[in-house]
Amino acid sequence: MVDEGGGIICGHYDRNCNLVTPCCKKVYPCRVCHDDAELHVLDRKTVEQVVCRQCHKTSNICEKCPSCGTVYGTAYFCQICRLYDNVDKKQFHCDGCGICRAGGREKYEHCFTCELCMPKGVPHKCIEKSSRNNCPVCFESIHASRNETHIPKCGHLIHLPCFQSMMEKGLYSCPTCGRAMVDMSSLWQNLDREKEMTPMPEEYRNLYREILCKDCSKNSTTLFHVV
């Protein structure tokens, strides 16, 4: 959004400074605002200067303004990522990911195969560098996204908002491999009841067909039915 004076209003972070972007020599509230407005992506770690929102003086990357003493991020500051925030989101810097994460360091552990911080105590299927793939729904980055990541049993990562949107639309299969992302037992029971209520014509009642299950990748033989 843009305010009355033509400046950008940041809806991503609450902080007390703006970033001086070395790639285009402009001033933006945050890297996301920059990426939304420009045709290129800002490498957060290349930012060397910030502008204080209180006194409007420019300084090198630091915790507070050398001129007026304003703390740029009252809740969190990461010198590596150039991340300032006035809101406590339990942020922490992960050396494995190379960027900051939210949610509390004690709740996550870095998976060096998937290259992403995963919830502790929650088993997942490792896929090499899976976090480096884009979300199969919105095609945006998984690794650098500010959105929470959903981890299906198949291991193909997807943004949580994208997963929730698929569930609302009745789309339960992984967009990458086609396997079910949720427990489908209740649906299969409903289909079984529907089959019982929809008898096939006499000439098809003893017709069997081989099928391949998408979830377990096993072949089996079953009675043919239009349902």
Side-chain angles (χ1 to χ4, degrees):
M1 294 188 296
V2 179
D3 61 20
E4 295 179 356
I8 297 177
I9 300 174
C10 180
H12 310 107
Y13 297 99
D14 179 10
R15 56 175 55 155
N16 300 319
C17 65
N18 296 326
L19 307 180
V20 180
T21 59
C23 47
C24 50
K25 309 300 181 184
K26 297 179 183 179
V27 177
Y28 281 97
C30 75
R31 66 174 182 86
V32 185
C33 289
H34 169 278
D35 294 350
D36 288 344
E38 303 290 344
L39 297 177
H40 57 274
V41 176
L42 171 65
D43 180 354
R44 69 192 82 187
K45 296 178 182 179
T46 64
V47 175
E48 296 295 339
Q49 292 182 314
V50 295
V51 178
C52 177
R53 292 183 183 175
Q54 295 298 319
C55 68
H56 308 292
K57 297 290 183 63
T58 300
S59 67
N60 292 331
I61 295 296
C62 56
E63 189 173 358
K64 61 182 180 180
C65 179
S67 298
C68 68
T70 297
V71 177
Y72 293 143
T74 57
Y76 184 76
F77 166 57
C78 176
Q79 181 138 7
I80 299 174
C81 294
R82 280 51 169 165
L83 179 59
Y84 299 90
D85 206 332
N86 292 337
V87 180
D88 183 6
K89 304 168 186 171
K90 306 299 181 184
Q91 301 95 324
F92 63 96
H93 182 85
C94 174
D95 292 329
C97 290
I99 57 177
C100 292
R101 299 295 186 192
R105 187 186 300 274
E106 71 281 358
K107 295 181 180 179
Y108 293 88
E109 57 185 352
H110 185 79
C111 176
F112 288 92
T113 301
C114 298
E115 296 192 0
L116 189 69
C117 286
M118 298 294 191
K120 285 185 177 179
V122 180
H124 68 277
K125 179 180 179 181
C126 286
I127 299 177
E128 188 173 2
K129 299 182 185 298
S130 61
S131 75
R132 301 296 178 173
N133 296 322
N134 289 339
C135 172
V137 177
C138 67
F139 302 110
E140 296 291 335
S141 170
I142 288 285
H143 188 269
S145 177
R146 296 172 68 246
N147 290 319
E148 188 175 345
T149 300
H150 178 70
I151 312 170
K153 289 183 179 180
C154 60
H156 296 116
L157 306 179
I158 180 174
H159 289 142
L160 180 59
C162 295
F163 169 76
Q164 292 171 336
S165 177
M166 290 185 66
M167 295 299 103
E168 291 171 359
K169 296 174 182 177
L171 303 173
Y172 305 118
S173 298
C174 171
T176 302
C177 66
R179 295 181 178 177
M181 295 190 290
V182 295
D183 183 2
M184 302 291 288
S185 56
S186 60
L187 177 62
W188 303 146
Q189 291 172 3
N190 290 336
L191 286 175
D192 287 340
R193 285 193 292 267
E194 188 174 349
K195 284 167 60 179
E196 292 175 1
M197 297 171 62
T198 313
M200 291 291 287
E202 187 67 36
E203 59 269 28
Y204 294 108
R205 289 184 183 176
N206 294 317
L207 182 62
Y208 287 81
R209 285 291 182 265
E210 285 192 4
I211 62 171
L212 173 64
C213 177
K214 287 185 178 180
D215 289 343
C216 67
S217 301
K218 292 182 179 180
N219 291 309
S220 62
T221 302
T222 186
L223 279 168
F224 173 77
H225 202 285
V226 292
V227 172

